[in-house]
Amino acid sequence: MTAADAGWSVPPAASELPESELPGSEEPCGPVGKAFRLSGADALSLGNAICGFLAVCVLAASAIDALKSGGPFVPDQRYYATAVVLILMGATCDLFDGLVARRFRASAMGAELDNLADVISFGFAPAFMVATWAGFSNALPLPVALGAAGAVLLAGVVRLARFACVKTKSGDFMGLPIPMGAMTVISIVLLFKPSYYAIAGIVVVAWLMVSRIEYPKPRGNLAALVFAWIVVNVGCLSIWAANLPGGDQLILVGASMQIALVAGIPLRMVMFRRALRKERV
């Protein structure tokens, strides 16, 4: 009868032990060791997370100041513009972290850091903006405002989880990318006063994020156009926040174009599919 048959625990041979557990090994090797090393792309992901956190802090400060005054809550454009600029800065970090990771080196936890940062900047921050925008108004019941904010947050979380698990054959995004969804929600907040119609638009954007509609990935020239779009939006927001002449018109035009862009892509996909069906017939 062997020791194993008697129920005794038998230590594995040295050849069976992982390299990190061999005698004389001072630091973990393999994926565990690499997971503690941050790359340049990870620094951009962390910058994205900080931008989202600061945006939430700015929005919270706006609500606290309004509550201290004792009057009705009116969104202060200085606070909202600062929060949106921070979210746009987070979007810039999110745009470049993948490029940096492919060009230089990606760490073992790069994808996880990217998704966690996106949840903060493009899930929680815009959801909190919806909650402050509609929740403090007398136009809508609080449960309706919180329901719309929760829809934005949950859609973003599901969108990122699905992105990590499901890859499309074309390589494009399945569903509205969460940064684009966040900017569309923000555009609705900036364009409209709290109402059931605006809330319905926010819920539609949340649905687009978890839909199966494919959106093109920003590659090459498209990535440069996306970056230029972010720069233009930051400029418009800065002019608007500074109360400079034409600022109100610029912010209205920019937000309207954002909503039109997001709405136009699904319509274009529907028309494209109909054309394919006609060709097959």
Side-chain angles (χ1 to χ4, degrees):
M1 182 173 63
T2 63
D5 295 332
W8 300 345
S9 60
V10 181
S15 60
E16 299 176 358
L17 287 172
E19 184 178 344
S20 59
E21 297 181 13
L22 289 175
S25 177
E26 296 181 356
E27 62 180 33
C29 303
V32 176
K34 291 180 180 178
F36 291 97
R37 302 171 187 169
L38 294 177
S39 65
D42 295 335
L44 289 172
S45 296
L46 294 176
N48 179 15
I50 287 294
C51 287
F53 169 72
L54 292 176
V56 172
C57 291
V58 169
L59 293 170
S62 173
I64 291 171
D65 285 350
L67 291 173
K68 284 181 178 179
S69 66
F73 175 75
V74 178
D76 190 328
Q77 69 180 40
R78 295 172 302 172
Y79 286 101
Y80 271 57
T82 302
V84 177
V85 168
L86 286 167
I87 294 174
L88 284 169
M89 290 172 62
T92 304
C93 292
D94 183 62
L95 180 65
F96 283 102
D97 62 0
L99 299 175
V100 171
R102 288 189 292 270
R103 178 65 178 82
F104 298 98
R105 179 177 62 86
S107 71
M109 58 181 177
E112 286 73 16
L113 279 178
D114 186 29
N115 284 342
L116 290 171
D118 286 351
V119 168
I120 298 172
S121 294
F122 312 126
F124 182 64
F128 191 78
M129 179 178 287
V130 171
T132 58
W133 164 73
F136 289 97
S137 69
N138 297 322
L140 296 170
L142 182 60
V144 173
L146 295 181
V152 172
L153 176 61
L154 293 179
V157 171
V158 173
R159 168 75 182 80
L160 290 170
R162 189 178 66 181
F163 174 74
C165 301
V166 180
K167 303 298 180 184
T168 60
K169 293 181 180 180
S170 63
D172 293 331
F173 294 115
M174 180 184 293
L176 180 66
I178 188 171
M180 189 71 71
M183 293 312 304
T184 309
V185 168
I186 291 169
S187 297
I188 293 174
V189 170
L190 295 178
L191 274 179
F192 304 103
K193 294 181 179 180
S195 66
Y196 285 103
Y197 294 107
I199 290 294
I202 290 172
V203 173
V204 169
V205 174
W207 173 80
L208 285 174
M209 284 195 282
V210 295
S211 70
R212 295 188 177 183
I213 299 173
E214 292 188 4
Y215 285 79
K217 274 190 176 181
R219 306 183 186 93
N221 293 333
L222 184 56
L225 287 174
V226 171
F227 178 67
W229 175 255
I230 292 174
V231 172
V232 170
N233 275 341
V234 170
C236 292
L237 284 164
S238 301
I239 294 172
W240 175 65
N243 283 324
L244 296 177
D248 291 339
Q249 288 73 23
L250 285 175
I251 198 66
L252 290 176
V253 171
S256 300
M257 290 179 64
Q258 174 68 30
I259 295 173
L261 175 65
V262 170
I265 292 177
L267 292 176
R268 178 68 183 88
M269 293 300 297
V270 170
M271 295 173 61
F272 179 70
R273 289 178 180 177
R274 285 183 179 178
L276 285 179
R277 289 175 185 175
K278 289 182 180 179
E279 291 179 358
R280 291 174 183 175
V281 174

